[in-house]
Amino acid sequence: MFSARSILNTAQRRAFSVSAQQNFKVTVLGAAGGIGQPLSLLMKTNKLVTDLALYDIRGAPGVAADISHINTKSSVNGYAPSPEGLKSALSGAEVVLIPAGVPRKPGMSRDDLFNTNASIVRDLAKAAADFAPKAKILIISNPVNSTVPITAEVFKSKGVYDPKRLFGVTTLDIVRASRFISEIKSTDPANEAVTVIGGHSGVTIVPLLSQSNHSEISGEARDKLVNRIQFGGDEVVQAKEGAGSATLSMAYAGARMADSILRAANGEKNVVECTFVESPLYKDQGIDFFSSKVTLGPEGVAKIHEVGKVNEYEQGLLDACIADLAKNITKGQKFVKENP
Ligand code: NAD
Ligand code: LMR
């Protein structure tokens, strides 16, 4: 027997999905920060968002009051820092974005943030597991290679872990790769898709130029481009001279990832993003989490794509990535076991 939906053509099905739009609450934890404010602004302009909940240890009600004047349909609520505020912010969320935590200063690695941010993310993950156990959780706080495993361990300890719903946001690496390659080739970045796999810090960021429109880039030009994609975050940290790291480009990237998750939740097909998820791809090498292309669906992760063909140079990058990533992931998992 055919359902009404199964006999529709592609265009009709898309229209069906859009007309059948659901109500989506999006929560931002760390909403008053450098990323949190522009990210919240962009979520307010997203037509799929019906409720926007903003939480921070300081300043969220003010940010919410400001954003709430924007004339899009969604409601906006800001919550004062309290267990009740956090509970209200999280309850009923479809997507929880977490940019809470401290950013780098010049000379620091992302791993240097671990001591401060691990416990911030652990505690927010506990609240998310209690009050939004079915939400898609998007982790922005660094070091992403460790904060995602931390969140997974917390959800496991509370018996609500679903690997399909936990994402490390690596979209900024994709955004940068597309922009940087377009600068070299004088093209429109909108037409430049570069797959970036691995993790989100230094050598764990592995751009696959051989799979891009410009597999011909080689030698010194390739080395410079790959280095710029891997260490693009440092450029911003140095330019901001101690005032933090990427916030505006990160808000853009985080909003893109959240929009992709929402579109897939709303029934759109073929939504694909590179993102750091629990992955089978390198489990045999002790790597539980890995970023690769992921097809998104209503439940979150629908399909994790194979890495595909890589050249010898990229295999070298992958070998370096795996070694570092393994340490970052284990560090996060161990932290929760020792500091539940
Ligand atoms: P920020 O200091 O400007 O903002 C962080 C916000 O988090 C602050 O408003 C702070 O009050 C809030 N906060 C701290 N503890 C909290 C808690 N327990 N509950 C709720 N809110 C809390 O920093 P930022 O520039 O917005 O960066 C935030 C994080 O994002 C950093 O760890 C940074 O390294 C990371 N980051 C990640 C990426 C990425 O690609 N994934 C890119 C840029 C930055
Ligand atoms: C980035 O890539 O810009 C972020 O991870 C922030 C940082 O510390 O570089």
PDB file of all heavy atoms in Angstrom, residues 6-23:
ATOM      1  N   SER A   6       4.411   8.777  -0.498  1.00  0.00           N
ATOM      2  CA  SER A   6       5.308   7.984  -1.330  1.00  0.00           C
ATOM      3  C   SER A   6       5.042   8.163  -2.823  1.00  0.00           C
ATOM      4  O   SER A   6       5.883   7.839  -3.642  1.00  0.00           O
ATOM      5  CB  SER A   6       5.223   6.511  -0.943  1.00  0.00           C
ATOM      6  OG  SER A   6       3.955   6.014  -1.291  1.00  0.00           O
ATOM      7  N   ILE A   7       3.859   8.674  -3.228  1.00  0.00           N
ATOM      8  CA  ILE A   7       3.605   8.843  -4.655  1.00  0.00           C
ATOM      9  C   ILE A   7       3.894  10.275  -5.139  1.00  0.00           C
ATOM     10  O   ILE A   7       3.671  10.613  -6.281  1.00  0.00           O
ATOM     11  CB  ILE A   7       2.146   8.452  -5.021  1.00  0.00           C
ATOM     12  CG1 ILE A   7       1.146   9.252  -4.174  1.00  0.00           C
ATOM     13  CG2 ILE A   7       1.913   6.960  -4.871  1.00  0.00           C
ATOM     14  CD1 ILE A   7      -0.295   9.068  -4.607  1.00  0.00           C
ATOM     15  N   LEU A   8       4.458  11.114  -4.264  1.00  0.00           N
ATOM     16  CA  LEU A   8       4.790  12.485  -4.657  1.00  0.00           C
ATOM     17  C   LEU A   8       6.132  12.501  -5.383  1.00  0.00           C
ATOM     18  O   LEU A   8       7.009  11.684  -5.100  1.00  0.00           O
ATOM     19  CB  LEU A   8       4.897  13.389  -3.415  1.00  0.00           C
ATOM     20  CG  LEU A   8       3.646  13.494  -2.545  1.00  0.00           C
ATOM     21  CD1 LEU A   8       3.964  14.335  -1.310  1.00  0.00           C
ATOM     22  CD2 LEU A   8       2.503  14.122  -3.315  1.00  0.00           C
ATOM     23  N   ASN A   9       6.311  13.442  -6.333  1.00  0.00           N
ATOM     24  CA  ASN A   9       7.636  13.584  -6.937  1.00  0.00           C
ATOM     25  C   ASN A   9       8.520  14.410  -5.997  1.00  0.00           C
ATOM     26  O   ASN A   9       8.066  14.898  -4.952  1.00  0.00           O
ATOM     27  CB  ASN A   9       7.545  14.189  -8.350  1.00  0.00           C
ATOM     28  CG  ASN A   9       7.049  15.630  -8.312  1.00  0.00           C
ATOM     29  OD1 ASN A   9       7.267  16.333  -7.335  1.00  0.00           O
ATOM     30  ND2 ASN A   9       6.371  16.050  -9.361  1.00  0.00           N
ATOM     31  N   THR A  10       9.801  14.564  -6.420  1.00  0.00           N
ATOM     32  CA  THR A  10      10.767  15.184  -5.498  1.00  0.00           C
ATOM     33  C   THR A  10      10.346  16.595  -5.077  1.00  0.00           C
ATOM     34  O   THR A  10      10.381  16.937  -3.895  1.00  0.00           O
ATOM     35  CB  THR A  10      12.152  15.265  -6.179  1.00  0.00           C
ATOM     36  OG1 THR A  10      12.422  13.986  -6.700  1.00  0.00           O
ATOM     37  CG2 THR A  10      13.233  15.674  -5.214  1.00  0.00           C
ATOM     38  N   ALA A  11       9.906  17.392  -6.063  1.00  0.00           N
ATOM     39  CA  ALA A  11       9.538  18.777  -5.745  1.00  0.00           C
ATOM     40  C   ALA A  11       8.338  18.809  -4.803  1.00  0.00           C
ATOM     41  O   ALA A  11       8.301  19.576  -3.833  1.00  0.00           O
ATOM     42  CB  ALA A  11       9.207  19.526  -7.030  1.00  0.00           C
ATOM     43  N   GLN A  12       7.371  17.928  -5.082  1.00  0.00           N
ATOM     44  CA  GLN A  12       6.181  17.893  -4.228  1.00  0.00           C
ATOM     45  C   GLN A  12       6.543  17.425  -2.819  1.00  0.00           C
ATOM     46  O   GLN A  12       6.037  17.924  -1.833  1.00  0.00           O
ATOM     47  CB  GLN A  12       5.143  16.930  -4.825  1.00  0.00           C
ATOM     48  CG  GLN A  12       4.457  17.486  -6.062  1.00  0.00           C
ATOM     49  CD  GLN A  12       3.673  16.393  -6.784  1.00  0.00           C
ATOM     50  OE1 GLN A  12       4.055  15.238  -6.786  1.00  0.00           O
ATOM     51  NE2 GLN A  12       2.567  16.781  -7.377  1.00  0.00           N
ATOM     52  N   ARG A  13       7.481  16.444  -2.774  1.00  0.00           N
ATOM     53  CA  ARG A  13       7.872  15.924  -1.458  1.00  0.00           C
ATOM     54  C   ARG A  13       8.544  17.022  -0.627  1.00  0.00           C
ATOM     55  O   ARG A  13       8.328  17.159   0.556  1.00  0.00           O
ATOM     56  CB  ARG A  13       8.849  14.764  -1.655  1.00  0.00           C
ATOM     57  CG  ARG A  13       8.387  13.532  -0.940  1.00  0.00           C
ATOM     58  CD  ARG A  13       9.315  12.388  -1.137  1.00  0.00           C
ATOM     59  NE  ARG A  13       8.780  11.462  -2.074  1.00  0.00           N
ATOM     60  CZ  ARG A  13       9.437  10.937  -3.099  1.00  0.00           C
ATOM     61  NH1 ARG A  13      10.679  11.276  -3.320  1.00  0.00           N
ATOM     62  NH2 ARG A  13       8.860  10.098  -3.896  1.00  0.00           N
ATOM     63  N   ARG A  14       9.373  17.825  -1.323  1.00  0.00           N
ATOM     64  CA  ARG A  14      10.058  18.916  -0.625  1.00  0.00           C
ATOM     65  C   ARG A  14       9.030  19.924  -0.085  1.00  0.00           C
ATOM     66  O   ARG A  14       9.092  20.339   1.068  1.00  0.00           O
ATOM     67  CB  ARG A  14      11.012  19.609  -1.597  1.00  0.00           C
ATOM     68  CG  ARG A  14      12.086  20.408  -0.904  1.00  0.00           C
ATOM     69  CD  ARG A  14      12.979  21.078  -1.927  1.00  0.00           C
ATOM     70  NE  ARG A  14      13.413  22.342  -1.388  1.00  0.00           N
ATOM     71  CZ  ARG A  14      14.438  22.479  -0.587  1.00  0.00           C
ATOM     72  NH1 ARG A  14      15.141  21.439  -0.258  1.00  0.00           N
ATOM     73  NH2 ARG A  14      14.765  23.661  -0.104  1.00  0.00           N
ATOM     74  N   ALA A  15       8.069  20.233  -0.939  1.00  0.00           N
ATOM     75  CA  ALA A  15       7.020  21.177  -0.523  1.00  0.00           C
ATOM     76  C   ALA A  15       6.251  20.591   0.654  1.00  0.00           C
ATOM     77  O   ALA A  15       5.924  21.283   1.622  1.00  0.00           O
ATOM     78  CB  ALA A  15       6.085  21.455  -1.688  1.00  0.00           C
ATOM     79  N   PHE A  16       5.997  19.282   0.578  1.00  0.00           N
ATOM     80  CA  PHE A  16       5.280  18.587   1.649  1.00  0.00           C
ATOM     81  C   PHE A  16       6.050  18.743   2.955  1.00  0.00           C
ATOM     82  O   PHE A  16       5.504  19.120   3.992  1.00  0.00           O
ATOM     83  CB  PHE A  16       5.152  17.104   1.269  1.00  0.00           C
ATOM     84  CG  PHE A  16       4.403  16.264   2.273  1.00  0.00           C
ATOM     85  CD1 PHE A  16       3.063  15.948   2.072  1.00  0.00           C
ATOM     86  CD2 PHE A  16       5.037  15.781   3.408  1.00  0.00           C
ATOM     87  CE1 PHE A  16       2.379  15.169   2.984  1.00  0.00           C
ATOM     88  CE2 PHE A  16       4.354  15.003   4.320  1.00  0.00           C
ATOM     89  CZ  PHE A  16       3.029  14.687   4.106  1.00  0.00           C
ATOM     90  N   SER A  17       7.386  18.505   2.855  1.00  0.00           N
ATOM     91  CA  SER A  17       8.218  18.587   4.066  1.00  0.00           C
ATOM     92  C   SER A  17       8.150  19.981   4.654  1.00  0.00           C
ATOM     93  O   SER A  17       8.013  20.164   5.848  1.00  0.00           O
ATOM     94  CB  SER A  17       9.683  18.303   3.748  1.00  0.00           C
ATOM     95  OG  SER A  17       9.799  17.065   3.142  1.00  0.00           O
ATOM     96  N   VAL A  18       8.270  20.987   3.768  1.00  0.00           N
ATOM     97  CA  VAL A  18       8.312  22.356   4.268  1.00  0.00           C
ATOM     98  C   VAL A  18       6.959  22.720   4.894  1.00  0.00           C
ATOM     99  O   VAL A  18       6.890  23.266   5.973  1.00  0.00           O
ATOM    100  CB  VAL A  18       8.702  23.335   3.133  1.00  0.00           C
ATOM    101  CG1 VAL A  18       8.543  24.765   3.582  1.00  0.00           C
ATOM    102  CG2 VAL A  18      10.144  23.072   2.714  1.00  0.00           C
ATOM    103  N   SER A  19       5.850  22.325   4.191  1.00  0.00           N
ATOM    104  CA  SER A  19       4.547  22.689   4.739  1.00  0.00           C
ATOM    105  C   SER A  19       4.297  21.952   6.053  1.00  0.00           C
ATOM    106  O   SER A  19       3.541  22.408   6.884  1.00  0.00           O
ATOM    107  CB  SER A  19       3.441  22.394   3.736  1.00  0.00           C
ATOM    108  OG  SER A  19       3.359  21.003   3.534  1.00  0.00           O
ATOM    109  N   ALA A  20       4.955  20.780   6.222  1.00  0.00           N
ATOM    110  CA  ALA A  20       4.737  19.998   7.433  1.00  0.00           C
ATOM    111  C   ALA A  20       5.713  20.418   8.531  1.00  0.00           C
ATOM    112  O   ALA A  20       6.019  19.633   9.413  1.00  0.00           O
ATOM    113  CB  ALA A  20       4.911  18.517   7.122  1.00  0.00           C
ATOM    114  N   GLN A  21       6.233  21.656   8.443  1.00  0.00           N
ATOM    115  CA  GLN A  21       7.271  22.088   9.375  1.00  0.00           C
ATOM    116  C   GLN A  21       6.863  21.913  10.839  1.00  0.00           C
ATOM    117  O   GLN A  21       5.749  22.246  11.235  1.00  0.00           O
ATOM    118  CB  GLN A  21       7.615  23.550   9.125  1.00  0.00           C
ATOM    119  CG  GLN A  21       8.784  23.988   9.987  1.00  0.00           C
ATOM    120  CD  GLN A  21       9.024  25.470   9.888  1.00  0.00           C
ATOM    121  OE1 GLN A  21       9.008  26.011   8.798  1.00  0.00           O
ATOM    122  NE2 GLN A  21       9.256  26.110  11.018  1.00  0.00           N
ATOM    123  N   GLN A  22       7.809  21.377  11.578  1.00  0.00           N
ATOM    124  CA  GLN A  22       7.544  21.142  12.987  1.00  0.00           C
ATOM    125  C   GLN A  22       7.978  22.359  13.814  1.00  0.00           C
ATOM    126  O   GLN A  22       8.586  23.284  13.295  1.00  0.00           O
ATOM    127  CB  GLN A  22       8.332  19.913  13.431  1.00  0.00           C
ATOM    128  CG  GLN A  22       7.986  18.678  12.624  1.00  0.00           C
ATOM    129  CD  GLN A  22       9.002  17.593  12.850  1.00  0.00           C
ATOM    130  OE1 GLN A  22       9.434  17.361  13.963  1.00  0.00           O
ATOM    131  NE2 GLN A  22       9.394  16.924  11.791  1.00  0.00           N
ATOM    132  N   ASN A  23       7.652  22.297  15.116  1.00  0.00           N
ATOM    133  CA  ASN A  23       8.127  23.344  16.022  1.00  0.00           C
ATOM    134  C   ASN A  23       9.478  22.944  16.569  1.00  0.00           C
ATOM    135  O   ASN A  23       9.611  21.848  17.104  1.00  0.00           O
ATOM    136  CB  ASN A  23       7.158  23.499  17.209  1.00  0.00           C
ATOM    137  CG  ASN A  23       5.859  24.115  16.753  1.00  0.00           C
ATOM    138  OD1 ASN A  23       5.813  24.828  15.769  1.00  0.00           O
ATOM    139  ND2 ASN A  23       4.793  23.822  17.470  1.00  0.00           N
TER     140      ASN A  23
END
